[in-house]
Amino acid sequence: MRKPIIAGNWKMYKSFEEAADFVDEVTSLIPSNEAVDAVICAPAIYLATLVEIADETDLAIGAQNMHYETEGAFTGEVSPTQLASIGVDYVVLGHSERREYFAETDEAINKKVRAALNVDIVPIICCGETDAEREAGQTEAKVEAQITAALQGFSAEEVQHMVIAYEPIWAIGTGKTATADDANAVCGAIRQVVANLFDDATAQAIRIQYGGSVKPENIEELLSKEHIDGALVGGASLQVESYVKLVEAGA
Ligand code: G3P
């Protein structure tokens, strides 16, 4: 049985005070992490404080990106080692916004996944197709290529502890959600890719989230599907009430 994982991705939202208040409040409202993994992926500048506030609670804190080098002359970047040194548990890698606006390549994402594992940070590896690719019937080929590239060079044992997030780009922030059946079919196809690359046990162990306009009204149906093990949530993770409802749905 795979433990559900509900991760909020705040993107570039919230003031420092709002972020700290949110984490302080939700830590006392969410269910135990024995039933569900609850994660907030916050802007890098807030991570150290949020990790402290969430320390010894059921909430885990994640980053939204990182460099793959341990250190070096990379002005403005944050390294995996730096994230680990402040106690960050997760990192979102290869989000479509980073691929599109910051020219992140499959190769860089693969290096980042390796770098995350090196410091015991769980990578949440994003994949997903554009509207045009969906219309052209290329959804499965697109996610297969992205996941194959991201997982290149890893052992089955390493892959079991990773998280994949399937986020169709046309559903992000648009209010359009993939139907639960369609999302499940693509998540199932991703699981099959993992089985083909590694083995069935690895495919059954890895957790696959759906992301794209997830909200309290649609999360239960999505989570009821065989291959959907959680959600990566943007907009609906910004309010305490809706975030807590999403985590409760996973428990
Ligand atoms: O990473 C989460 C995200 O891209 C989905 O955003 O606002 O559609 O839930 P949203």
Side-chain angles (χ1 to χ4, degrees):
M1 215 20 214
R2 298 178 292 268
K3 195 199 313 183
I5 172 166
I6 308 296
N9 172 12
W10 282 352
K11 308 191 179 182
M12 202 171 66
Y13 290 101
K14 286 196 186 294
S15 69
F16 176 64
E17 201 182 349
E18 288 165 349
D21 286 351
F22 179 111
V23 169
D24 196 29
E25 206 180 332
V26 300
T27 50
S28 60
L29 299 174
I30 52 171
S32 157
N33 63 13
E34 279 172 24
V36 56
D37 282 327
V39 186
I40 285 291
C41 300
I45 190 172
Y46 304 151
L47 291 171
T49 303
L50 301 187
V51 166
E52 261 181 47
I53 299 173
D55 189 34
E56 295 190 13
T57 72
D58 292 303
L59 183 71
I61 301 297
Q64 299 175 9
N65 176 43
M66 63 177 200
H67 201 280
Y68 48 77
E69 295 287 354
T70 302
E71 60 180 9
F74 299 103
T75 301
E77 291 290 308
V78 174
S79 83
T81 324
Q82 290 168 333
L83 293 178
S85 74
I86 60 166
V88 164
D89 290 318
Y90 292 86
V91 61
V92 176
L93 296 177
H95 192 282
S96 59
E97 289 151 15
R98 296 223 46 97
R99 293 178 190 258
E100 183 178 354
Y101 307 131
F102 302 95
E104 249 182 44
T105 62
D106 282 334
E107 191 193 357
I109 293 159
N110 174 253
K111 287 184 184 170
K112 290 181 181 197
V113 176
R114 170 57 66 202
L117 259 55
N118 284 346
V119 291
D120 287 330
I121 291 179
V122 177
I124 299 177
I125 305 163
C126 301
C127 62
E129 82 286 4
T130 63
D131 210 6
E133 287 163 342
R134 178 174 71 129
E135 294 292 326
Q138 294 167 348
T139 299
E140 292 191 9
K142 174 73 181 287
V143 297
E144 176 173 4
Q146 289 177 321
I147 293 305
T148 303
L151 299 185
Q152 201 185 331
F154 291 96
S155 68
E157 164 58 24
E158 289 173 320
V159 171
Q160 296 199 7
H161 305 292
M162 299 176 186
V163 176
I164 293 175
Y166 167 56
E167 297 204 322
I169 296 168
W170 50 268
I172 296 176
T174 58
K176 289 190 219 165
T177 320
T179 66
D181 283 333
D182 286 351
N184 185 52
V186 182
C187 291
I190 292 169
R191 206 176 292 290
Q192 190 55 51
V193 170
V194 175
N196 296 344
L197 290 171
F198 300 94
D199 51 51
D200 282 338
T202 306
Q204 286 310 314
I206 195 168
R207 293 184 292 177
I208 304 177
Q209 300 174 305
Y210 167 78
S213 299
V214 175
K215 41 189 185 269
E217 295 74 40
N218 58 23
I219 185 121
E220 282 182 18
E221 194 189 356
L222 288 161
L223 292 182
S224 72
K225 299 295 174 186
E226 181 185 354
H227 295 294
I228 302 179
D229 306 316
L232 183 57
V233 189
S237 75
L238 292 167
Q239 292 82 37
V240 169
E241 198 189 336
S242 54
Y243 178 72
V244 170
K245 279 189 187 157
L246 294 167
V247 178
E248 282 172 347

